[in-house]
Amino acid sequence: MSGITYERIPDGRPVADRRTAARRATLHIASENPRPQRSLAIIDGRVLSREHLSWELLANGLGLHIVNFGSVDDIDDFDASEFSAILVCVDDARLMDNSIVLEIEELVLRFPNAPVIVQADICGFQQILTVLEHGARGYLPGNAGISVCMEAISMALAGGVFVAAENLSDIQRILGTRRYQSKRGTMFTPREEDVIQVLRLGKANKSIAYTLNLAPNTVKVHVRNILKKLRVTNRSEAIYKINAMYDEVA
């Protein structure tokens, strides 16, 4: 059954630690429709998996109502303001054929104020990057523990983006490269970019002209413009500065 809200009900007695609180936590079905309060929507076609995750999150003090859904279609009838975050659990096949991308885009548009977090067994950086580029605010590996899951939800609610530590360096490198390329694209013309690639090798103007099939005077003009844009006075300084810019995203 989908669209059922679960709540954590404290027993009213003081507890000494978090483990004791988790043991005493109880759950009950609140209603067939989610209350207009802070709620987490879990979308997972596996009934036992999503119910187990709901219980674990609540037992560990998540602090949100949880509403379970079997598919993205099931959430369509709910108002956009009813959810604080959405966790989508994806199987490998749908991640590999990119069918999940359209669903993520749909959820991001349908619930603009509810960050979407994806959980999947496949954790290749290309899959992660694709999901993030289409609006998701987090990517969890399928074997993530409850504490990691709660951290991802909390970070997304705070406006951040969560990626597991083992994937973070790759994602930062790719995103950094793309940001740099975008910035660089506004600084240099395509032909200047071509000249830069050969200039970095320490080639003289005649060699650059021969490599790119350009007139030497044309190369001279391009090099002069590159030096001016980099605010340097000679080729050595230009090469040093360009290499430093590349190293920033290496």
Side-chain angles (χ1 to χ4, degrees), residues 194-207:
D194 294 337
V195 172
I196 284 173
Q197 296 304 319
V198 187
L199 180 65
R200 291 182 68 207
L201 301 176
K203 301 293 184 179
N205 284 359
K206 288 184 179 181
S207 295

Side-chain angles (χ1 to χ4, degrees), residues 41-94:
I42 296 180
I43 302 176
D44 190 342
R46 302 161 297 182
V47 178
L48 291 179
S49 176
R50 68 176 184 254
E51 291 187 353
H52 175 74
L53 179 58
S54 298
W55 282 73
E56 287 290 331
L57 288 171
L58 292 171
N60 282 272
L62 178 63
L64 298 174
H65 299 296
I66 296 181
V67 190
N68 284 334
F69 299 94
S71 70
V72 171
D73 291 339
D74 293 337
I75 203 173
D76 283 345
D77 294 333
F78 288 76
D79 188 84
S81 64
E82 300 203 52
F83 301 110
S84 299
I86 300 173
L87 175 60
V88 185
C89 302
V90 185
D91 60 65
D92 293 351
R94 293 178 62 244

Side-chain angles (χ1 to χ4, degrees), residues 8 56 107 114 140 148 164 198:
R8 183 177 185 277
E56 287 290 331
L107 288 171
L140 281 165
V148 176
V198 187

Side-chain angles (χ1 to χ4, degrees), residues 176-196:
T177 300
R178 292 188 178 184
R179 284 194 297 268
Y180 169 70
Q181 289 173 340
S182 176
K183 178 181 178 181
R184 197 180 67 204
T186 63
M187 180 183 294
F188 302 113
T189 67
R191 182 54 76 183
E192 288 170 350
E193 282 286 349
D194 294 337
V195 172
I196 284 173

